[in-house]
Amino acid sequence: RAIVTSGPTYEAIDPVRYLANRSSGKQGHAIAAALAQLGAEVVLVAGPNNLPDPGGVQVQAIESAAQMLAACEAALPADIAVCAAAVADWRVAGEAGQKMKKDGSGRPPALALVENPDILKTLSQLNGGRPGLVVGFAAETEKVVGYAQGKRTRKGCDWIVANDVGAGTNVMGGDDNTVHLITAQGVEDWPTMSKDAVAAALARRIAEHFGSA
Ligand code: CTP
């Protein structure tokens, strides 16, 4: 059984506006589909996206990071968690009940932000019921492998899939990805592949880890 997070999260500012990260959900959805194809029972916890639901996968649609965490916790126990979502790091403290109106002064409103829960870290550091294999992603624009190695130890996950999302890479929203798989054993540099091929290769590695491939 696997839990996969995908897409961005939307953090409401008022009933009309939100804060979000740039994310298509393509990589997370492809991983959910690839794990299902290998026979896993998959719960895909997905933020707003324009993708079709992958076949053979149970989809939980959520909007905010808090809802994503709650849906992941509700989907436990699981053997595998793959956190591919681009979760908004902050949400607005106190969502306005009505649309915020311009007051004519020309001065924009100040938004107070509070930090969102870290879903990958929470699942990685569960005391009871931690999934046997927790995989995170690291979106970096510089020092990709170094930052991602730090993220692996800081969050306490088992593997990190690190990708370079800097300007010019077209990873955000694009169909291809160049990743490095970081484990306790070291770093593997994978060639540039489609996001579907990255998902298939990762699902295969996960199945091997559990001795079922
Ligand atoms: N993640 C999460 N919950 C959050 C933030 C991030 O589950 N609130 C997960 C992402 O799904 C990804 C990993 O953490 O698997 C790393 O996300 P990334 O945006 O690269 O890192 P951050 O934690 O935001 O760290 P930084 O801003 O320092 O790069």
PDB file of all heavy atoms in Angstrom, residues 5-7 9 21 65 68 82-90 115-123 135-140 147 151 154-155 157 160-161 163, ligand 1:
ATOM      1  N   THR A   5       1.793  11.948  -2.666  1.00  0.00           N
ATOM      2  CA  THR A   5       1.266  13.314  -2.739  1.00  0.00           C
ATOM      3  C   THR A   5       1.688  13.939  -4.060  1.00  0.00           C
ATOM      4  O   THR A   5       2.760  13.650  -4.578  1.00  0.00           O
ATOM      5  CB  THR A   5       1.737  14.210  -1.569  1.00  0.00           C
ATOM      6  OG1 THR A   5       3.130  14.528  -1.719  1.00  0.00           O
ATOM      7  CG2 THR A   5       1.496  13.542  -0.220  1.00  0.00           C
ATOM      8  N   SER A   6       0.806  14.789  -4.605  1.00  0.00           N
ATOM      9  CA  SER A   6       1.061  15.346  -5.932  1.00  0.00           C
ATOM     10  C   SER A   6       0.439  16.727  -6.058  1.00  0.00           C
ATOM     11  O   SER A   6      -0.495  17.064  -5.328  1.00  0.00           O
ATOM     12  CB  SER A   6       0.452  14.406  -6.979  1.00  0.00           C
ATOM     13  OG  SER A   6       0.750  14.836  -8.292  1.00  0.00           O
ATOM     14  N   GLY A   7       0.967  17.489  -7.003  1.00  0.00           N
ATOM     15  CA  GLY A   7       0.383  18.795  -7.307  1.00  0.00           C
ATOM     16  C   GLY A   7       0.797  19.870  -6.326  1.00  0.00           C
ATOM     17  O   GLY A   7       1.582  19.638  -5.418  1.00  0.00           O
ATOM     18  N   THR A   9      -0.330  22.884  -3.430  1.00  0.00           N
ATOM     19  CA  THR A   9      -1.455  23.133  -2.526  1.00  0.00           C
ATOM     20  C   THR A   9      -1.871  24.588  -2.719  1.00  0.00           C
ATOM     21  O   THR A   9      -1.060  25.428  -3.109  1.00  0.00           O
ATOM     22  CB  THR A   9      -1.104  22.890  -1.041  1.00  0.00           C
ATOM     23  OG1 THR A   9      -0.091  23.821  -0.634  1.00  0.00           O
ATOM     24  CG2 THR A   9      -0.624  21.469  -0.818  1.00  0.00           C
ATOM     25  N   ASN A  21       2.282  27.122  -5.107  1.00  0.00           N
ATOM     26  CA  ASN A  21       3.531  26.884  -5.821  1.00  0.00           C
ATOM     27  C   ASN A  21       3.211  26.547  -7.267  1.00  0.00           C
ATOM     28  O   ASN A  21       2.111  26.121  -7.588  1.00  0.00           O
ATOM     29  CB  ASN A  21       4.260  25.678  -5.217  1.00  0.00           C
ATOM     30  CG  ASN A  21       5.040  26.049  -3.980  1.00  0.00           C
ATOM     31  OD1 ASN A  21       5.104  27.197  -3.572  1.00  0.00           O
ATOM     32  ND2 ASN A  21       5.644  25.050  -3.374  1.00  0.00           N
ATOM     33  N   ALA A  65      -2.344  22.552   2.489  1.00  0.00           N
ATOM     34  CA  ALA A  65      -1.354  21.650   3.095  1.00  0.00           C
ATOM     35  C   ALA A  65      -1.948  20.931   4.308  1.00  0.00           C
ATOM     36  O   ALA A  65      -1.692  19.742   4.513  1.00  0.00           O
ATOM     37  CB  ALA A  65      -0.117  22.455   3.514  1.00  0.00           C
ATOM     38  N   MET A  68      -3.925  18.199   3.052  1.00  0.00           N
ATOM     39  CA  MET A  68      -3.065  17.145   2.493  1.00  0.00           C
ATOM     40  C   MET A  68      -2.517  16.269   3.624  1.00  0.00           C
ATOM     41  O   MET A  68      -2.528  15.032   3.530  1.00  0.00           O
ATOM     42  CB  MET A  68      -1.920  17.764   1.686  1.00  0.00           C
ATOM     43  CG  MET A  68      -0.995  16.739   1.055  1.00  0.00           C
ATOM     44  SD  MET A  68       0.224  17.477  -0.057  1.00  0.00           S
ATOM     45  CE  MET A  68      -0.708  17.552  -1.579  1.00  0.00           C
ATOM     46  N   VAL A  82       5.394   8.436  -0.949  1.00  0.00           N
ATOM     47  CA  VAL A  82       6.188   9.237  -1.889  1.00  0.00           C
ATOM     48  C   VAL A  82       5.600  10.644  -1.895  1.00  0.00           C
ATOM     49  O   VAL A  82       4.443  10.835  -2.286  1.00  0.00           O
ATOM     50  CB  VAL A  82       6.161   8.651  -3.316  1.00  0.00           C
ATOM     51  CG1 VAL A  82       7.028   9.503  -4.249  1.00  0.00           C
ATOM     52  CG2 VAL A  82       6.633   7.195  -3.334  1.00  0.00           C
ATOM     53  N   CYS A  83       6.385  11.606  -1.428  1.00  0.00           N
ATOM     54  CA  CYS A  83       5.895  12.985  -1.348  1.00  0.00           C
ATOM     55  C   CYS A  83       6.430  13.772  -2.539  1.00  0.00           C
ATOM     56  O   CYS A  83       7.569  14.245  -2.520  1.00  0.00           O
ATOM     57  CB  CYS A  83       6.326  13.635  -0.035  1.00  0.00           C
ATOM     58  SG  CYS A  83       5.525  12.890   1.402  1.00  0.00           S
ATOM     59  N   ALA A  84       5.608  13.859  -3.583  1.00  0.00           N
ATOM     60  CA  ALA A  84       6.026  14.574  -4.793  1.00  0.00           C
ATOM     61  C   ALA A  84       5.308  15.913  -4.918  1.00  0.00           C
ATOM     62  O   ALA A  84       5.506  16.628  -5.899  1.00  0.00           O
ATOM     63  CB  ALA A  84       5.745  13.708  -6.023  1.00  0.00           C
ATOM     64  N   ALA A  85       4.467  16.254  -3.948  1.00  0.00           N
ATOM     65  CA  ALA A  85       3.713  17.508  -4.033  1.00  0.00           C
ATOM     66  C   ALA A  85       4.623  18.706  -3.815  1.00  0.00           C
ATOM     67  O   ALA A  85       5.609  18.626  -3.088  1.00  0.00           O
ATOM     68  CB  ALA A  85       2.595  17.514  -2.992  1.00  0.00           C
ATOM     69  N   ALA A  86       4.261  19.806  -4.445  1.00  0.00           N
ATOM     70  CA  ALA A  86       4.929  21.087  -4.193  1.00  0.00           C
ATOM     71  C   ALA A  86       4.056  21.841  -3.189  1.00  0.00           C
ATOM     72  O   ALA A  86       3.179  22.621  -3.558  1.00  0.00           O
ATOM     73  CB  ALA A  86       5.076  21.865  -5.492  1.00  0.00           C
ATOM     74  N   VAL A  87       4.274  21.536  -1.922  1.00  0.00           N
ATOM     75  CA  VAL A  87       3.432  22.089  -0.861  1.00  0.00           C
ATOM     76  C   VAL A  87       3.826  23.549  -0.626  1.00  0.00           C
ATOM     77  O   VAL A  87       5.013  23.869  -0.583  1.00  0.00           O
ATOM     78  CB  VAL A  87       3.633  21.283   0.445  1.00  0.00           C
ATOM     79  CG1 VAL A  87       2.724  21.797   1.543  1.00  0.00           C
ATOM     80  CG2 VAL A  87       3.411  19.791   0.198  1.00  0.00           C
ATOM     81  N   ALA A  88       2.834  24.413  -0.470  1.00  0.00           N
ATOM     82  CA  ALA A  88       3.142  25.810  -0.135  1.00  0.00           C
ATOM     83  C   ALA A  88       3.761  25.836   1.257  1.00  0.00           C
ATOM     84  O   ALA A  88       3.245  25.214   2.186  1.00  0.00           O
ATOM     85  CB  ALA A  88       1.870  26.648  -0.165  1.00  0.00           C
ATOM     86  N   ASP A  89       4.894  26.509   1.390  1.00  0.00           N
ATOM     87  CA  ASP A  89       5.570  26.520   2.683  1.00  0.00           C
ATOM     88  C   ASP A  89       4.810  27.353   3.715  1.00  0.00           C
ATOM     89  O   ASP A  89       4.938  27.120   4.904  1.00  0.00           O
ATOM     90  CB  ASP A  89       6.989  27.077   2.526  1.00  0.00           C
ATOM     91  CG  ASP A  89       7.886  26.087   1.793  1.00  0.00           C
ATOM     92  OD1 ASP A  89       7.928  24.925   2.215  1.00  0.00           O
ATOM     93  OD2 ASP A  89       8.517  26.475   0.797  1.00  0.00           O
ATOM     94  N   TRP A  90       4.046  28.321   3.219  1.00  0.00           N
ATOM     95  CA  TRP A  90       3.336  29.204   4.162  1.00  0.00           C
ATOM     96  C   TRP A  90       1.873  29.327   3.785  1.00  0.00           C
ATOM     97  O   TRP A  90       1.494  29.144   2.634  1.00  0.00           O
ATOM     98  CB  TRP A  90       3.952  30.611   4.122  1.00  0.00           C
ATOM     99  CG  TRP A  90       5.411  30.617   4.443  1.00  0.00           C
ATOM    100  CD1 TRP A  90       5.975  30.516   5.682  1.00  0.00           C
ATOM    101  CD2 TRP A  90       6.510  30.719   3.526  1.00  0.00           C
ATOM    102  NE1 TRP A  90       7.342  30.547   5.591  1.00  0.00           N
ATOM    103  CE2 TRP A  90       7.701  30.673   4.276  1.00  0.00           C
ATOM    104  CE3 TRP A  90       6.592  30.848   2.139  1.00  0.00           C
ATOM    105  CZ2 TRP A  90       8.961  30.749   3.689  1.00  0.00           C
ATOM    106  CZ3 TRP A  90       7.845  30.924   1.558  1.00  0.00           C
ATOM    107  CH2 TRP A  90       9.013  30.875   2.330  1.00  0.00           C
ATOM    108  N   GLU A 115       3.828  29.200   9.001  1.00  0.00           N
ATOM    109  CA  GLU A 115       4.407  28.050   8.309  1.00  0.00           C
ATOM    110  C   GLU A 115       3.420  26.889   8.269  1.00  0.00           C
ATOM    111  O   GLU A 115       2.701  26.632   9.238  1.00  0.00           O
ATOM    112  CB  GLU A 115       5.688  27.618   9.022  1.00  0.00           C
ATOM    113  CG  GLU A 115       6.547  26.714   8.170  1.00  0.00           C
ATOM    114  CD  GLU A 115       7.978  26.621   8.687  1.00  0.00           C
ATOM    115  OE1 GLU A 115       8.520  27.652   9.154  1.00  0.00           O
ATOM    116  OE2 GLU A 115       8.536  25.511   8.629  1.00  0.00           O
ATOM    117  N   ASN A 116       3.397  26.200   7.142  1.00  0.00           N
ATOM    118  CA  ASN A 116       2.541  25.026   6.987  1.00  0.00           C
ATOM    119  C   ASN A 116       3.196  23.795   7.600  1.00  0.00           C
ATOM    120  O   ASN A 116       4.416  23.756   7.750  1.00  0.00           O
ATOM    121  CB  ASN A 116       2.294  24.767   5.492  1.00  0.00           C
ATOM    122  CG  ASN A 116       1.005  25.390   5.011  1.00  0.00           C
ATOM    123  OD1 ASN A 116       0.064  25.537   5.782  1.00  0.00           O
ATOM    124  ND2 ASN A 116       0.980  25.753   3.751  1.00  0.00           N
ATOM    125  N   PRO A 117       2.395  22.780   7.919  1.00  0.00           N
ATOM    126  CA  PRO A 117       3.009  21.513   8.350  1.00  0.00           C
ATOM    127  C   PRO A 117       3.835  20.927   7.214  1.00  0.00           C
ATOM    128  O   PRO A 117       3.494  21.098   6.043  1.00  0.00           O
ATOM    129  CB  PRO A 117       1.801  20.620   8.650  1.00  0.00           C
ATOM    130  CG  PRO A 117       0.657  21.231   7.916  1.00  0.00           C
ATOM    131  CD  PRO A 117       0.936  22.703   7.846  1.00  0.00           C
ATOM    132  N   ASP A 118       4.913  20.248   7.563  1.00  0.00           N
ATOM    133  CA  ASP A 118       5.742  19.566   6.572  1.00  0.00           C
ATOM    134  C   ASP A 118       5.293  18.107   6.525  1.00  0.00           C
ATOM    135  O   ASP A 118       5.499  17.354   7.479  1.00  0.00           O
ATOM    136  CB  ASP A 118       7.217  19.679   6.961  1.00  0.00           C
ATOM    137  CG  ASP A 118       8.138  19.182   5.852  1.00  0.00           C
ATOM    138  OD1 ASP A 118       7.849  18.110   5.269  1.00  0.00           O
ATOM    139  OD2 ASP A 118       9.145  19.852   5.583  1.00  0.00           O
ATOM    140  N   ILE A 119       4.654  17.731   5.431  1.00  0.00           N
ATOM    141  CA  ILE A 119       4.045  16.401   5.342  1.00  0.00           C
ATOM    142  C   ILE A 119       5.118  15.319   5.264  1.00  0.00           C
ATOM    143  O   ILE A 119       5.039  14.300   5.946  1.00  0.00           O
ATOM    144  CB  ILE A 119       3.086  16.365   4.126  1.00  0.00           C
ATOM    145  CG1 ILE A 119       1.926  17.314   4.423  1.00  0.00           C
ATOM    146  CG2 ILE A 119       2.567  14.956   3.862  1.00  0.00           C
ATOM    147  CD1 ILE A 119       1.468  18.122   3.274  1.00  0.00           C
ATOM    148  N   LEU A 120       6.143  15.562   4.431  1.00  0.00           N
ATOM    149  CA  LEU A 120       7.231  14.581   4.302  1.00  0.00           C
ATOM    150  C   LEU A 120       7.905  14.342   5.653  1.00  0.00           C
ATOM    151  O   LEU A 120       8.152  13.205   6.056  1.00  0.00           O
ATOM    152  CB  LEU A 120       8.247  15.089   3.269  1.00  0.00           C
ATOM    153  CG  LEU A 120       9.508  14.257   3.097  1.00  0.00           C
ATOM    154  CD1 LEU A 120       9.192  12.851   2.597  1.00  0.00           C
ATOM    155  CD2 LEU A 120      10.488  14.947   2.133  1.00  0.00           C
ATOM    156  N   LYS A 121       8.195  15.434   6.357  1.00  0.00           N
ATOM    157  CA  LYS A 121       8.877  15.320   7.649  1.00  0.00           C
ATOM    158  C   LYS A 121       7.977  14.620   8.674  1.00  0.00           C
ATOM    159  O   LYS A 121       8.438  13.767   9.434  1.00  0.00           O
ATOM    160  CB  LYS A 121       9.243  16.733   8.122  1.00  0.00           C
ATOM    161  CG  LYS A 121      10.168  16.786   9.301  1.00  0.00           C
ATOM    162  CD  LYS A 121      10.585  18.238   9.521  1.00  0.00           C
ATOM    163  CE  LYS A 121      11.434  18.392  10.762  1.00  0.00           C
ATOM    164  NZ  LYS A 121      11.768  19.797  10.986  1.00  0.00           N
ATOM    165  N   THR A 122       6.709  14.962   8.662  1.00  0.00           N
ATOM    166  CA  THR A 122       5.779  14.352   9.621  1.00  0.00           C
ATOM    167  C   THR A 122       5.703  12.845   9.397  1.00  0.00           C
ATOM    168  O   THR A 122       5.792  12.057  10.348  1.00  0.00           O
ATOM    169  CB  THR A 122       4.370  14.981   9.474  1.00  0.00           C
ATOM    170  OG1 THR A 122       4.486  16.390   9.641  1.00  0.00           O
ATOM    171  CG2 THR A 122       3.410  14.422  10.523  1.00  0.00           C
ATOM    172  N   LEU A 123       5.556  12.426   8.124  1.00  0.00           N
ATOM    173  CA  LEU A 123       5.453  10.982   7.834  1.00  0.00           C
ATOM    174  C   LEU A 123       6.776  10.281   8.146  1.00  0.00           C
ATOM    175  O   LEU A 123       6.786   9.155   8.648  1.00  0.00           O
ATOM    176  CB  LEU A 123       5.063  10.756   6.369  1.00  0.00           C
ATOM    177  CG  LEU A 123       3.672  11.247   5.960  1.00  0.00           C
ATOM    178  CD1 LEU A 123       3.459  11.045   4.461  1.00  0.00           C
ATOM    179  CD2 LEU A 123       2.571  10.549   6.749  1.00  0.00           C
ATOM    180  N   VAL A 135       9.872   8.428   0.655  1.00  0.00           N
ATOM    181  CA  VAL A 135      10.644   9.050  -0.427  1.00  0.00           C
ATOM    182  C   VAL A 135      10.181  10.492  -0.603  1.00  0.00           C
ATOM    183  O   VAL A 135       8.983  10.750  -0.736  1.00  0.00           O
ATOM    184  CB  VAL A 135      10.437   8.287  -1.752  1.00  0.00           C
ATOM    185  CG1 VAL A 135      11.290   8.893  -2.873  1.00  0.00           C
ATOM    186  CG2 VAL A 135      10.741   6.799  -1.591  1.00  0.00           C
ATOM    187  N   GLY A 136      11.141  11.410  -0.599  1.00  0.00           N
ATOM    188  CA  GLY A 136      10.808  12.810  -0.834  1.00  0.00           C
ATOM    189  C   GLY A 136      11.393  13.296  -2.138  1.00  0.00           C
ATOM    190  O   GLY A 136      12.191  12.595  -2.779  1.00  0.00           O
ATOM    191  N   PHE A 137      11.007  14.481  -2.542  1.00  0.00           N
ATOM    192  CA  PHE A 137      11.593  15.142  -3.693  1.00  0.00           C
ATOM    193  C   PHE A 137      12.317  16.384  -3.200  1.00  0.00           C
ATOM    194  O   PHE A 137      11.996  16.913  -2.135  1.00  0.00           O
ATOM    195  CB  PHE A 137      10.514  15.545  -4.712  1.00  0.00           C
ATOM    196  CG  PHE A 137      10.223  14.453  -5.700  1.00  0.00           C
ATOM    197  CD1 PHE A 137       9.558  13.303  -5.308  1.00  0.00           C
ATOM    198  CD2 PHE A 137      10.633  14.570  -7.015  1.00  0.00           C
ATOM    199  CE1 PHE A 137       9.309  12.285  -6.207  1.00  0.00           C
ATOM    200  CE2 PHE A 137      10.384  13.550  -7.930  1.00  0.00           C
ATOM    201  CZ  PHE A 137       9.724  12.405  -7.531  1.00  0.00           C
ATOM    202  N   ALA A 138      13.299  16.831  -3.943  1.00  0.00           N
ATOM    203  CA  ALA A 138      13.942  18.098  -3.623  1.00  0.00           C
ATOM    204  C   ALA A 138      14.011  18.906  -4.902  1.00  0.00           C
ATOM    205  O   ALA A 138      14.637  18.478  -5.872  1.00  0.00           O
ATOM    206  CB  ALA A 138      15.336  17.868  -3.065  1.00  0.00           C
ATOM    207  N   ALA A 139      13.308  20.011  -4.906  1.00  0.00           N
ATOM    208  CA  ALA A 139      13.351  20.917  -6.048  1.00  0.00           C
ATOM    209  C   ALA A 139      14.382  21.979  -5.717  1.00  0.00           C
ATOM    210  O   ALA A 139      14.219  22.738  -4.767  1.00  0.00           O
ATOM    211  CB  ALA A 139      11.976  21.543  -6.252  1.00  0.00           C
ATOM    212  N   GLU A 140      15.461  22.005  -6.488  1.00  0.00           N
ATOM    213  CA  GLU A 140      16.537  22.952  -6.190  1.00  0.00           C
ATOM    214  C   GLU A 140      16.898  23.721  -7.450  1.00  0.00           C
ATOM    215  O   GLU A 140      16.719  23.234  -8.568  1.00  0.00           O
ATOM    216  CB  GLU A 140      17.794  22.210  -5.686  1.00  0.00           C
ATOM    217  CG  GLU A 140      17.571  21.254  -4.522  1.00  0.00           C
ATOM    218  CD  GLU A 140      17.197  21.947  -3.218  1.00  0.00           C
ATOM    219  OE1 GLU A 140      17.274  23.194  -3.150  1.00  0.00           O
ATOM    220  OE2 GLU A 140      16.795  21.248  -2.272  1.00  0.00           O
ATOM    221  N   TYR A 147      22.279  20.189  -1.488  1.00  0.00           N
ATOM    222  CA  TYR A 147      21.093  20.620  -0.748  1.00  0.00           C
ATOM    223  C   TYR A 147      20.158  19.442  -0.490  1.00  0.00           C
ATOM    224  O   TYR A 147      19.557  19.318   0.576  1.00  0.00           O
ATOM    225  CB  TYR A 147      20.337  21.703  -1.524  1.00  0.00           C
ATOM    226  CG  TYR A 147      20.905  23.103  -1.363  1.00  0.00           C
ATOM    227  CD1 TYR A 147      20.728  24.051  -2.360  1.00  0.00           C
ATOM    228  CD2 TYR A 147      21.589  23.476  -0.210  1.00  0.00           C
ATOM    229  CE1 TYR A 147      21.236  25.348  -2.225  1.00  0.00           C
ATOM    230  CE2 TYR A 147      22.095  24.764  -0.064  1.00  0.00           C
ATOM    231  CZ  TYR A 147      21.912  25.696  -1.082  1.00  0.00           C
ATOM    232  OH  TYR A 147      22.405  26.967  -0.938  1.00  0.00           O
ATOM    233  N   LYS A 151      18.602  17.794   2.922  1.00  0.00           N
ATOM    234  CA  LYS A 151      17.150  17.650   3.093  1.00  0.00           C
ATOM    235  C   LYS A 151      16.806  16.237   3.557  1.00  0.00           C
ATOM    236  O   LYS A 151      15.929  16.037   4.387  1.00  0.00           O
ATOM    237  CB  LYS A 151      16.476  17.940   1.752  1.00  0.00           C
ATOM    238  CG  LYS A 151      15.197  18.722   1.846  1.00  0.00           C
ATOM    239  CD  LYS A 151      14.771  19.267   0.490  1.00  0.00           C
ATOM    240  CE  LYS A 151      14.999  20.761   0.399  1.00  0.00           C
ATOM    241  NZ  LYS A 151      14.498  21.342  -0.850  1.00  0.00           N
ATOM    242  N   ARG A 154      17.756  16.035   7.225  1.00  0.00           N
ATOM    243  CA  ARG A 154      16.955  16.945   8.047  1.00  0.00           C
ATOM    244  C   ARG A 154      15.523  16.460   8.198  1.00  0.00           C
ATOM    245  O   ARG A 154      14.937  16.516   9.272  1.00  0.00           O
ATOM    246  CB  ARG A 154      16.964  18.328   7.395  1.00  0.00           C
ATOM    247  CG  ARG A 154      16.849  19.459   8.350  1.00  0.00           C
ATOM    248  CD  ARG A 154      17.198  20.804   7.732  1.00  0.00           C
ATOM    249  NE  ARG A 154      16.535  21.091   6.479  1.00  0.00           N
ATOM    250  CZ  ARG A 154      17.170  21.213   5.326  1.00  0.00           C
ATOM    251  NH1 ARG A 154      18.471  21.071   5.261  1.00  0.00           N
ATOM    252  NH2 ARG A 154      16.499  21.491   4.219  1.00  0.00           N
ATOM    253  N   LYS A 155      14.952  15.941   7.105  1.00  0.00           N
ATOM    254  CA  LYS A 155      13.546  15.526   7.166  1.00  0.00           C
ATOM    255  C   LYS A 155      13.406  14.097   7.684  1.00  0.00           C
ATOM    256  O   LYS A 155      12.356  13.717   8.171  1.00  0.00           O
ATOM    257  CB  LYS A 155      12.894  15.667   5.789  1.00  0.00           C
ATOM    258  CG  LYS A 155      12.940  17.103   5.283  1.00  0.00           C
ATOM    259  CD  LYS A 155      11.775  17.444   4.397  1.00  0.00           C
ATOM    260  CE  LYS A 155      11.926  18.855   3.844  1.00  0.00           C
ATOM    261  NZ  LYS A 155      10.683  19.395   3.280  1.00  0.00           N
ATOM    262  N   CYS A 157      13.704  11.290   5.815  1.00  0.00           N
ATOM    263  CA  CYS A 157      13.162  10.325   4.848  1.00  0.00           C
ATOM    264  C   CYS A 157      14.285   9.385   4.402  1.00  0.00           C
ATOM    265  O   CYS A 157      15.458   9.597   4.699  1.00  0.00           O
ATOM    266  CB  CYS A 157      12.507  11.026   3.667  1.00  0.00           C
ATOM    267  SG  CYS A 157      13.601  12.109   2.757  1.00  0.00           S
ATOM    268  N   ILE A 160      15.720  10.546  -1.416  1.00  0.00           N
ATOM    269  CA  ILE A 160      15.304  11.827  -2.007  1.00  0.00           C
ATOM    270  C   ILE A 160      15.546  11.759  -3.510  1.00  0.00           C
ATOM    271  O   ILE A 160      16.607  11.314  -3.953  1.00  0.00           O
ATOM    272  CB  ILE A 160      16.116  13.021  -1.434  1.00  0.00           C
ATOM    273  CG1 ILE A 160      15.681  13.385  -0.009  1.00  0.00           C
ATOM    274  CG2 ILE A 160      16.027  14.214  -2.349  1.00  0.00           C
ATOM    275  CD1 ILE A 160      14.688  14.516   0.121  1.00  0.00           C
ATOM    276  N   VAL A 161      14.541  12.159  -4.265  1.00  0.00           N
ATOM    277  CA  VAL A 161      14.708  12.333  -5.698  1.00  0.00           C
ATOM    278  C   VAL A 161      14.958  13.823  -5.904  1.00  0.00           C
ATOM    279  O   VAL A 161      14.077  14.640  -5.648  1.00  0.00           O
ATOM    280  CB  VAL A 161      13.442  11.894  -6.467  1.00  0.00           C
ATOM    281  CG1 VAL A 161      13.648  12.069  -7.965  1.00  0.00           C
ATOM    282  CG2 VAL A 161      13.075  10.456  -6.129  1.00  0.00           C
ATOM    283  N   ASN A 163      15.783  17.104  -8.123  1.00  0.00           N
ATOM    284  CA  ASN A 163      15.769  17.607  -9.495  1.00  0.00           C
ATOM    285  C   ASN A 163      16.088  19.092  -9.552  1.00  0.00           C
ATOM    286  O   ASN A 163      15.826  19.846  -8.637  1.00  0.00           O
ATOM    287  CB  ASN A 163      14.491  17.259 -10.264  1.00  0.00           C
ATOM    288  CG  ASN A 163      13.231  17.623  -9.518  1.00  0.00           C
ATOM    289  OD1 ASN A 163      13.287  18.236  -8.471  1.00  0.00           O
ATOM    290  ND2 ASN A 163      12.114  17.243 -10.063  1.00  0.00           N
TER     291      ASN A 163
HETATM  292  N1  CTP B   1       7.213  18.902   1.564  1.00  0.00           N
HETATM  293  C1  CTP B   1       6.114  18.515   2.336  1.00  0.00           C
HETATM  294  N2  CTP B   1       5.458  19.444   3.086  1.00  0.00           N
HETATM  295  C2  CTP B   1       5.868  20.743   3.102  1.00  0.00           C
HETATM  296  C3  CTP B   1       6.997  21.138   2.324  1.00  0.00           C
HETATM  297  C4  CTP B   1       7.641  20.199   1.557  1.00  0.00           C
HETATM  298  O1  CTP B   1       5.739  17.334   2.316  1.00  0.00           O
HETATM  299  N3  CTP B   1       5.204  21.625   3.844  1.00  0.00           N
HETATM  300  C5  CTP B   1       7.953  17.873   0.809  1.00  0.00           C
HETATM  301  C6  CTP B   1       7.820  17.944  -0.694  1.00  0.00           C
HETATM  302  O2  CTP B   1       6.728  17.176  -1.142  1.00  0.00           O
HETATM  303  C7  CTP B   1       9.148  17.335  -1.137  1.00  0.00           C
HETATM  304  C8  CTP B   1      10.113  17.752  -0.044  1.00  0.00           C
HETATM  305  O3  CTP B   1       9.308  18.059   1.089  1.00  0.00           O
HETATM  306  O4  CTP B   1       9.087  15.922  -1.127  1.00  0.00           O
HETATM  307  C9  CTP B   1      11.017  18.892  -0.334  1.00  0.00           C
HETATM  308  O5  CTP B   1      10.327  19.971  -0.836  1.00  0.00           O
HETATM  309  P1  CTP B   1      11.097  21.297  -1.263  1.00  0.00           P
HETATM  310  O6  CTP B   1      10.107  22.317  -1.693  1.00  0.00           O
HETATM  311  O7  CTP B   1      12.227  20.954  -2.200  1.00  0.00           O
HETATM  312  O8  CTP B   1      11.799  21.721   0.076  1.00  0.00           O
HETATM  313  P2  CTP B   1      11.375  22.591   1.294  1.00  0.00           P
HETATM  314  O9  CTP B   1      11.013  21.711   2.411  1.00  0.00           O
HETATM  315  O10 CTP B   1      10.367  23.609   0.878  1.00  0.00           O
HETATM  316  O11 CTP B   1      12.760  23.279   1.649  1.00  0.00           O
HETATM  317  P3  CTP B   1      13.483  24.592   1.053  1.00  0.00           P
HETATM  318  O12 CTP B   1      12.396  25.631   0.968  1.00  0.00           O
HETATM  319  O13 CTP B   1      14.523  24.875   2.060  1.00  0.00           O
HETATM  320  O14 CTP B   1      14.076  24.216  -0.267  1.00  0.00           O
END
